[in-house]
Amino acid sequence: MRREAHLGDRIFYLLLNGVALSVLMLLGAIAWQLIHLSLPAIHKFGFGFFSSTNWDPVQEVFGAGPVIFGTLVSSGLALLIAAPISVGVALFLNELAPRRLAEAVGFLVEMLAAIPSVVYGLWGIFVLAPFLRITVEPWLSGHFGWLPLFRGAPYGVGMLAAALILAMMITPTIAAICKEVFRAVPQSQREAARALGATKWETMRLAVLESSHSGILGAVILGLARALGETMAVTMVIGNRAEIAASLFAPGQTMASVIANEYAEASGDLHLSALAFVGLALFAVSFAINSVARILVWRLNRNRGRDF
Amino acid sequence: MVGLLIGCAILALFPLFSVFLYVCQQGLPGLHVNFFTSLPKPVGEVGGGMANAVLGSLILITLASLIGIPVGIATGVYLSEYGKTKLSMILRFCTELLAGVPSIIIGIFAYSLFVIPMGRFSSYAGGAALAVIMIPTVARTTEELLKLVPVHIREAGLALGISRWKVTLIIVLRGSLSGIMTGVMLGLARVTGETAPLLFTALGSQYWPRSLDQPIASLPVQIYTYAISPFEEWHQQAWTGALVLVLFVFILNLTTRMILKRHAPAKD
């Protein structure tokens, strides 16, 4: 009887262990397949692939420069917009708002954040892009036209639209993690600050923000990871042209959007391979960024656990 | 300063609301029975629906669930019940990383596994891509909720001489069925709106799904195709499709919340 139970336990454990290990193997298999698919492009272009700025499927010349540029600009701009707003939202919800209101707003944000990316894209095409084309971009080029950033014809779709829609989509992510981080700050710290005569704002700055630096950084990095891989909404509003332009009004292309746009209709093997190479780079980058962010958040939790 | 923070909250909420309002306003007029019962009409003809895409999405999600749910639950159980070893720490980390892999990359992966060997786009490829995306969501939720089962309940079972696997299956899993349902539904909600990995695996189609080794329509891809088309009628259909998709995801999320609320350990 005892031996039987023992055997059952072993089988059960091995079964679960095997399934769980398949997750590990899945990650490995994804990397392996991506490398395998990109081999022709790696042989043909080498590492010059990432610095070359010519992406021309017709001539079968592929360089990832424009799509890397597009990814960096759209995600970077999105972070610049979303990070301060998200921290503000998290502070508001955690420190200021009455509990009922905070719960209601938190619930709304969570629901709206679950709206699929393709729906954001649809909204982007028919609401955001016309708004930018008719109102925002003419105003920007009228007042700040001396900057090369805001020159050129206002198309509506383009880098600016992509950055704005990304900012919208990553704000709930960053705000949710920041809220967790702020909530983990011990109440005694806030009380200490208040006891020293700090105002509400000073309390937030000294007691909450000051001790949450690495947590906020982790949240922002996770937001960045989300922005880099975001595909559909960006594909629908960025204009899809693999060019490097100084103006934010100009159409662009990101690493994810070029794959979404061209993979199904790729003309030749080299084209497919070049797209897979872009995918491999995107995979490596998001792998690295996610690791860093996870480790940051994890270490934060561990340290807090030790101190209190 | 307080005003600034309130401003942030409004600035963050306003566009999100705008998306929701537009989807309702533009989508509602097209929401007829027809939408769910008839095939898309060619450009220029009035009417038609996305019945094939709705059915296609259901088929793809079912295929994905067949693999994604059992693997996800098993991984979650392993992480929660045997989660103290070094290996399981690594596995937990890997689950997080898998959740962070952009879904379009998973699409390329499924393409290489199914589309290249079979020589054509198929439901299998689309379902496989969605399954991979589903696994980490189901696994993480299952793990979190199994951890809520108090240790003394497990110990009580063991003290009665029940073997560990039976304790896990009969006591821990049975006791947190609602938790597992939550994981499953969050997984479903996650893949329902996925578009990017389907673009070059399931591809899309204007006809009823015929066989699993053929390209198949899906609601998100249909919305995308119609949205970037130049035709007014198709834009209208895209909005209605978006409304259906959003409602479906909302219902899944709301149900999850209700289950969680009912079973969450009492606060205060």
Side-chain angles (χ1 to χ4, degrees):
Chain A
M1 176 69 200
R2 265 204 76 207
R3 174 162 290 172
E4 220 171 89
H6 198 66
L7 188 69
D9 277 351
R10 280 201 70 80
I11 293 175
F12 187 64
Y13 174 75
L14 286 178
L15 202 69
L16 285 182
N17 201 358
V19 175
L21 273 177
S22 71
V23 174
L24 185 77
M25 293 190 316
L26 212 51
L27 265 183
I30 293 173
W32 170 258
Q33 288 290 350
L34 282 173
I35 293 171
H36 187 71
L37 286 174
S38 3
L39 274 180
I42 296 175
H43 282 307
K44 181 95 194 266
F45 304 111
F47 279 106
F49 184 72
F50 297 107
S51 53
S52 156
T53 56
N54 194 7
W55 180 276
D56 188 351
V58 180
Q59 306 288 331
E60 294 231 303
V61 177
F62 300 101
V67 296
I68 293 175
F69 171 82
T71 307
L72 290 180
V73 171
S74 59
S75 300
L77 194 58
L79 268 192
L80 277 183
I81 302 169
I85 294 181
S86 312
V87 173
V89 172
L91 271 183
F92 172 72
L93 290 181
N94 209 44
E95 309 292 322
L96 280 181
R99 210 175 108 196
R100 276 279 167 80
L101 180 67
E103 270 174 16
V105 173
F107 168 71
L108 274 177
V109 171
E110 208 175 294
M111 290 305 276
L112 295 173
I115 292 178
S117 146
V118 67
V119 177
Y120 278 99
L122 185 68
W123 179 85
I125 292 180
F126 295 110
V127 183
L128 181 65
F131 176 64
L132 290 179
R133 185 175 64 235
I134 294 162
T135 315
V136 178
E137 290 182 354
W139 184 84
L140 278 175
S141 61
H143 290 77
F144 302 97
W146 43 275
L147 279 170
L149 284 179
F150 303 119
R151 273 188 208 146
Y155 294 111
V157 293
M159 205 62 102
L160 184 63
L164 285 177
I165 216 158
L166 276 178
M168 274 171 63
M169 297 180 73
I170 61 176
T171 299
T173 313
I174 305 180
I177 305 172
C178 282
K179 215 174 92 184
E180 294 291 308
V181 172
F182 295 157
R183 189 178 291 163
V185 173
Q187 197 60 33
S188 56
Q189 270 190 44
R190 294 188 186 89
E191 284 159 9
R194 293 309 291 266
L196 288 173
T199 63
K200 193 109 193 165
W201 167 245
E202 285 164 342
T203 311
M204 278 189 250
R205 195 161 55 85
L206 295 170
V208 182
L209 284 180
E210 197 62 36
S211 62
S212 306
H213 281 330
S214 55
I216 295 175
L217 188 63
V220 170
I221 294 175
L222 280 179
L224 176 65
R226 171 112 206 261
L228 290 178
E230 180 49 55
T231 312
M232 291 321 293
V234 173
T235 310
M236 290 163 90
V237 299
I238 200 169
N240 296 310
R241 205 187 298 160
E243 282 172 8
I244 296 181
S247 171
L248 290 179
F249 300 168
Q253 187 81 286
T254 69
M255 295 166 88
S257 77
V258 76
I259 302 174
N261 222 5
E262 298 181 4
Y263 207 88
E265 285 144 21
S267 40
D269 287 342
L270 192 62
H271 191 184
L272 273 183
S273 179
L275 288 169
F277 199 10
V278 172
L280 178 64
L282 184 61
F283 177 75
V285 170
S286 68
F287 195 91
I289 291 181
N290 271 305
S291 306
V292 170
R294 286 291 159 207
I295 290 170
L296 260 178
V297 173
W298 178 67
R299 275 196 15 207
L300 185 79
N301 287 340
R302 199 189 50 172
N303 287 343
R304 284 235 170 95
R306 198 194 294 142
D307 291 346
F308 297 98
Chain B
M1 283 333 282
V2 173
L4 189 74
L5 293 187
I6 295 177
C8 279
I10 293 172
L11 205 59
L13 273 177
F14 178 74
L16 296 173
F17 257 122
S18 168
V19 174
F20 184 64
L21 288 182
Y22 266 96
V23 168
C24 290
Q25 188 203 339
Q26 305 282 330
L28 267 178
L31 197 63
H32 295 302
V33 184
N34 260 353
F35 184 85
F36 298 99
T37 54
S38 55
L39 286 177
K41 288 260 169 70
V43 180
E45 282 183 45
V46 192
M50 290 193 179
N52 59 334
V54 175
L55 182 65
S57 267
L58 290 179
I59 292 175
L60 286 172
I61 293 172
T62 311
L63 278 178
S65 306
L66 288 179
I67 310 167
I69 291 177
V71 173
I73 291 179
T75 309
V77 171
Y78 176 80
L79 290 178
S80 132
E81 303 302 307
Y82 302 94
K84 299 253 157 57
T85 62
K86 198 145 214 174
L87 176 68
S88 58
M89 296 293 279
I90 297 175
L91 279 178
R92 186 171 294 124
F93 193 64
C94 284
T95 318
E96 297 280 351
L97 287 182
L98 190 60
V101 174
S103 58
I104 188 129
I105 304 284
I106 313 262
I108 299 184
F109 177 59
Y111 179 91
S112 74
L113 283 192
F114 288 89
V115 179
I116 293 179
M118 287 171 69
R120 59 168 171 265
F121 303 104
S122 68
S123 316
Y124 293 124
L130 295 185
V132 175
I133 294 170
M134 207 173 188
I135 291 171
T137 313
V138 179
R140 279 193 303 184
T141 324
T142 308
E143 186 201 350
E144 298 274 311
L145 289 159
L146 287 188
K147 275 185 179 161
L148 292 181
V149 177
V151 180
H152 65 78
I153 290 186
R154 294 189 180 86
E155 285 167 351
L158 292 172
L160 288 174
I162 308 172
S163 57
R164 191 163 174 190
W165 67 279
K166 281 186 185 153
V167 170
T168 307
L169 280 184
I170 299 170
I171 300 177
V172 179
L173 279 183
R174 272 277 292 280
S176 55
L177 262 188
S178 60
I180 291 178
M181 280 306 294
T182 311
V184 168
M185 281 200 279
L186 284 181
L188 290 178
R190 170 82 213 271
V191 296
T192 302
E194 278 297 344
T195 318
L198 296 179
L199 289 175
F200 39 84
T201 51
L203 195 67
S205 130
Q206 294 286 7
Y207 309 104
W208 289 107
R210 246 171 268 148
S211 128
L212 291 182
D213 60 1
Q214 295 291 329
I216 189 171
S218 63
L219 202 47
V221 174
Q222 196 94 331
I223 294 171
Y224 171 64
T225 320
Y226 277 23
I228 59 173
S229 78
F231 313 115
E232 193 62 40
E233 299 95 339
W234 281 18
H235 296 165
Q236 170 59 46
Q237 293 268 12
W239 281 108
T240 306
L243 178 64
V244 172
L245 197 61
V246 167
L247 287 181
F248 190 66
V249 174
F250 272 14
I251 290 172
L252 279 174
N253 274 314
L254 276 176
T255 324
T256 318
R257 269 187 164 253
M258 265 152 48
I259 297 179
L260 275 183
K261 205 159 207 176
R262 199 144 44 99
H263 291 268
K267 272 183 212 162
D268 301 336

